Amino acid sequence: MALGKQPHLEPGTPVADCTASRVGETLVFNPVKTPTSSSTWYLGLDWGTTGLSATFLHRETGSFHPIYLESNGSPCYRFAGKCHTNGDERLADSAQDRWLQEFKRLFAASLGGYSDTIWELQWQWSSEIAFSLEQIVAELTQWFGQWLATVQASGKAVGLDEADYQQAWSQLAGVVVGMPGGISDAYGFHLREVLLGAGLVEHPQQIFLVEDTVAILASQFPQGSATATPKVSPASTLSQRTAPLPSSGVTLVVHSGASATELALVSLPENYADLTHDRFYFRNFTYGGCALDQDTVLQVLLDGSYWESTELTIPPEARPKPGLPERCPRDRLTMALRSSHLGIMLLDIASDLKKVLLEPNNQDSYWLQIGNYCRQIQRRDLESRVLVPFVQQLNRELNALFSETGIAVQSVRHAICTGGNASYEAIGRWLRQKLPNATIVQDVYGEGKQATQTRIACGLAAVPLYPQLLPRGKAQYSDYFLLWELLDVLTRASLDRVPKSCLTQSQIFQWLQQRGIPVVAVGDRLERLLENRWPDGLFPDGEDELWLTPASRETLQQLQVRDLPLFERDREEGTYRLNLQVATLWRKYFHSAIKNSYQKLQEPLPAQIYSEVSEK
């Protein structure tokens, strides 16, 4: 059963958003200098799992202008979407507000393009609902296009009158979008397709992607350290009272959202303008608010006897251990819960319980009644059975990051903790114990309060003032582009009748250098490709295959291109040659993947994508 194509825009957020800081008060936006008629604007776009928010940057003055819609007389800075299904009314409500949550994982799982038809694979949302990657791209484009039309016609921005607001949209030079750390190039490819398809900008090179954790740090940058001095810094835009970053030393960022938790460590230079992307150390794991809801269902809401006496059946292989990012068991649990009305209802109850029991100054217990089943849920049960295991896993991941980087815990002077799944008091207590020498900034979330602005949107808007924060080499030369270049170079070797159609690695790199590719910067990735080690996102991996329909899984298993070696290496002579038969399959695959796209894999993003930002 396919999803319908009638999404509509709804202001508001189904999850808590940033309204205060542990060291600050309610977020306050300050007045800013009026832009001139000749201006350059950038948009910071925080597209989270459950909604999006946006902030304008006026490049000449460095001022920030969060975008909002008025809802019931109050400004709403966070936007959430709904999509209505066609057909099965019993499961129709289950898809509302939910299927869009899957787009990040699906975008990252596969570039697309299989056999003779594009977007052949079908993804299983539940036991009865499936959709294709093409469909989710199309529907997300439609939803974003409607959001764009709505905020352009009816929206406002803090500090801008109507004329300046419309000028910002008409003179938009580029957009900076947040992305999860370590995500595949396929994610960026599909997300750019959505933004281009909706008409936000005209060219792929106007879209910049940077990790959310980097943007969170940029949101803390003080006034006056960028090349263009901002009239209002991101930190002062967020709050009048927030702990400033230290002039140097190590900073930790913890960002835990709905689908994942991300960590970043960085040693700050004295001049923030000298901070480059390669100074960041990242680590992430797939446990967030959605996994916490699952654990709440299993560990708190239900007991073993109730599982067996209702319409909801949860097999042993779909019962992950609390706090652990076990992908396969969690995926199976997601499928089981989504396939019944009771399972969907339990997930909604679990989400509400976090607000009722875990937020400060709320109640200590909650009465749960489902039919004849009734029991009291205690806050201490939710904390000990669900939240404590998550904190323990978070502690293990942070220890691993310290071990990998060689950075001492005692050297961390500043820590920023944000995201709906990182706002609880237990997280703050753990951080204060873990980092004895650090100032802790933890965003907190109030029940029923409208979000004023997310930290990430302001940080993304600040990136054009600090272009060195962009992941330059990886974004300009994706793994897919490099694979295409290797394919082309060795094909030319065959056509030019190079002896045995073989080239040494040095010769291959020399040819690529002549084509303008900085092999010193991308050499390690080229070596992996020559060893037939394919980058993530070309094909669904074994764990993602669980989400495919049986027919699509069979199609993927028959796909020869992913299993046959493209490059053949003669280890004695140290040369490489192209398997021409397999190369034909790869070309067919790539052409089908980009057949209807705005982007072309054969072209890198131009170098001026970064120089244009820094020269403005």
Side-chain angles (χ1 to χ4, degrees):
M1 184 182 300
L3 292 175
K5 296 194 175 182
Q6 298 178 10
H8 68 271
L9 185 69
E10 178 179 296
T13 173
V15 295
D17 285 82
C18 181
T19 59
S21 169
R22 294 287 186 196
V23 295
E25 302 296 334
T26 303
L27 304 186
V28 176
F29 299 113
N30 301 326
V32 293
K33 182 179 178 180
T34 302
T36 63
S37 59
S38 178
S39 300
T40 303
W41 296 87
Y42 287 91
L43 185 71
L45 185 64
D46 171 23
W47 201 329
T49 301
T50 55
L52 60 85
S53 57
T55 295
F56 276 128
L57 165 71
H58 182 235
R59 185 64 180 84
E60 284 73 15
T61 62
S63 58
F64 299 85
H65 308 271
I67 296 171
Y68 64 93
L69 287 172
E70 290 189 347
S71 176
N72 297 323
S74 300
C76 176
Y77 295 85
R78 188 73 170 173
F79 310 93
K82 282 188 177 182
C83 179
H84 295 287
T85 59
N86 293 326
D88 191 343
E89 294 301 325
R90 184 177 68 86
L91 288 177
D93 289 343
S94 70
Q96 293 182 14
D97 294 326
R98 296 179 187 273
W99 72 273
L100 286 178
Q101 296 184 10
E102 304 300 331
F103 87 89
K104 289 191 176 183
R105 181 169 181 181
L106 297 184
F107 278 11
S110 173
L111 185 62
Y114 297 88
S115 69
D116 294 328
T117 58
I118 195 168
W119 315 116
E120 185 174 344
L121 298 186
Q122 291 283 319
W123 299 88
Q124 199 84 49
W125 187 86
S126 70
S127 61
E128 301 182 41
I129 298 177
F131 50 84
S132 68
L133 182 58
E134 179 188 34
Q135 188 174 355
I136 198 168
V137 170
E139 296 210 24
L140 206 62
T141 301
Q142 182 180 357
W143 183 88
F144 184 75
Q146 188 168 356
W147 174 85
L148 193 60
T150 301
V151 295
Q152 286 178 342
S154 306
K156 299 178 182 179
V158 175
L160 298 182
D161 59 23
E162 177 63 23
D164 291 333
Y165 181 72
Q166 294 303 324
Q167 179 196 103
W169 286 112
S170 65
Q171 297 181 354
L172 191 63
V175 55
V176 185
V177 192
M179 67 176 179
I183 204 162
S184 73
D185 289 337
Y187 174 80
F189 182 88
H190 295 311
L191 189 58
R192 283 191 291 268
E193 286 297 301
V194 169
L195 301 183
L196 293 167
L200 177 62
V201 291
E202 294 183 1
H203 307 291
Q205 55 265 39
Q206 294 175 277
I207 303 171
F208 311 89
L209 276 76
V210 69
E211 292 87 352
D212 292 333
T213 48
V214 174
I216 290 168
L217 182 69
S219 75
Q220 287 283 97
F221 283 174
Q223 243 173 294
S225 59
T227 53
T229 302
K231 299 301 179 183
V232 179
S233 70
S236 61
T237 301
L238 283 164
S239 176
Q240 289 180 322
R241 294 177 59 196
T242 186
L245 284 173
S247 58
S248 61
V250 177
T251 291
L252 168 69
V253 178
V254 179
H255 175 58
S256 186
S259 57
T261 298
E262 303 174 65
L263 307 173
L265 272 176
V266 59
S267 181
L268 297 175
E270 291 186 6
N271 185 351
Y272 296 144
D274 296 330
L275 179 61
T276 56
H277 186 272
D278 57 10
R279 297 184 65 149
F280 285 81
Y281 297 98
F282 301 99
R283 188 175 181 87
N284 60 79
F285 57 103
T286 54
Y287 189 101
C290 295
L292 193 141
D293 290 344
Q294 290 181 332
D295 289 345
T296 300
V297 171
L298 293 187
Q299 305 300 324
V300 178
L301 297 183
L302 301 178
D303 56 39
S305 61
Y306 191 67
W307 289 341
E308 308 302 330
S309 62
T310 68
E311 63 174 287
L312 178 61
T313 300
I314 303 178
E317 63 271 16
R319 301 178 188 177
K321 296 177 182 178
L324 297 185
E326 299 176 325
R327 274 182 63 184
C328 282
R330 291 197 179 279
D331 287 346
R332 295 182 186 278
L333 177 59
T334 297
M335 191 71 69
L337 292 173
R338 285 178 176 171
S339 298
S340 77
H341 181 73
L342 175 61
I344 293 168
M345 181 172 60
L346 289 173
L347 285 173
D348 288 338
I349 293 172
S351 179
D352 290 339
L353 275 179
K354 291 186 297 188
K355 303 174 186 177
V356 173
L357 298 181
L358 293 182
E359 291 181 354
N361 303 318
N362 281 352
Q363 60 197 62
D364 293 323
S365 63
Y366 175 88
W367 278 100
L368 170 68
Q369 183 169 359
I370 304 175
N372 296 325
Y373 179 82
C374 182
R375 61 173 295 189
Q376 189 178 33
I377 307 297
Q378 301 287 340
R379 176 191 292 188
R380 61 176 179 269
D381 294 333
L382 189 58
E383 288 183 338
S384 62
R385 299 179 190 177
V386 178
L387 196 56
V388 169
F390 167 57
V391 174
Q392 292 171 340
Q393 178 63 24
L394 187 55
N395 189 65
R396 287 190 289 268
E397 296 287 345
L398 184 56
N399 286 341
L401 183 59
F402 282 128
S403 177
E404 291 171 2
T405 60
I407 295 175
V409 174
Q410 294 77 11
S411 65
V412 178
R413 298 182 55 193
H414 196 87
I416 310 169
C417 189
T418 187
N421 205 41
S423 64
Y424 309 117
E425 289 183 336
I427 305 292
R429 290 195 302 266
W430 163 74
L431 266 181
R432 286 188 288 274
Q433 294 172 357
K434 184 73 175 180
L435 309 173
N437 300 325
T439 299
I440 309 297
V441 175
Q442 183 183 21
D443 293 337
V444 296
Y445 303 80
E447 181 184 9
K449 296 180 181 178
Q450 278 292 347
T452 51
Q453 181 55 279
T454 62
R455 183 183 296 277
I456 293 176
C458 280
L460 292 167
V463 167
L465 302 176
Y466 303 87
Q468 69 277 4
L469 293 178
L470 293 164
R472 181 166 184 167
K474 189 70 162 59
Q476 187 178 350
Y477 302 100
S478 73
D479 288 332
Y480 309 151
F481 166 77
L482 294 178
L483 179 56
W484 184 273
E485 285 293 295
L486 288 174
L487 180 64
D488 190 57
V489 163
L490 287 166
T491 299
R492 290 177 182 272
S494 301
L495 296 175
D496 292 346
R497 298 182 180 179
V498 172
K500 299 182 181 180
S501 300
C502 294
L503 294 174
T504 65
Q505 184 185 100
S506 177
Q507 290 173 321
I508 293 173
F509 284 12
Q510 184 178 359
W511 281 35
L512 293 174
Q513 187 81 45
Q514 293 173 354
R515 295 159 75 104
I517 299 175
V519 296
V520 174
V522 300
D524 57 338
R525 290 193 281 148
L526 291 169
E527 291 176 1
R528 286 196 296 270
L529 293 173
L530 286 171
E531 295 297 325
N532 296 300
R533 294 161 56 189
W534 309 135
D536 294 337
L538 280 177
F539 319 102
D541 62 23
E543 293 179 317
D544 283 326
E545 287 186 32
L546 175 66
W547 290 98
L548 297 175
T549 61
S552 294
R553 198 175 301 126
E554 182 179 354
T555 297
L556 183 64
Q557 292 170 353
Q558 296 174 353
L559 190 66
Q560 292 181 311
V561 67
R562 69 173 185 165
D563 298 321
L564 298 176
L566 176 60
F567 306 111
E568 299 174 349
R569 181 181 179 185
D570 188 321
R571 296 187 178 276
E572 292 184 1
E573 297 186 8
T575 58
Y576 296 86
R577 65 184 297 272
L578 193 67
N579 184 323
L580 295 177
Q581 184 176 5
V582 178
T584 300
L585 296 176
W586 274 101
R587 289 192 188 90
K588 183 177 180 180
Y589 166 75
F590 275 140
H591 283 304
S592 67
I594 64 174
K595 180 180 178 182
N596 298 320
S597 69
Y598 296 94
Q599 305 163 82
K600 303 303 175 186
L601 295 177
Q602 303 95 318
E603 301 173 358
L605 293 176
Q608 60 264 31
I609 189 171
Y610 299 96
S611 59
E612 284 178 355
V613 174
S614 58
E615 290 171 1
K616 291 291 184 183

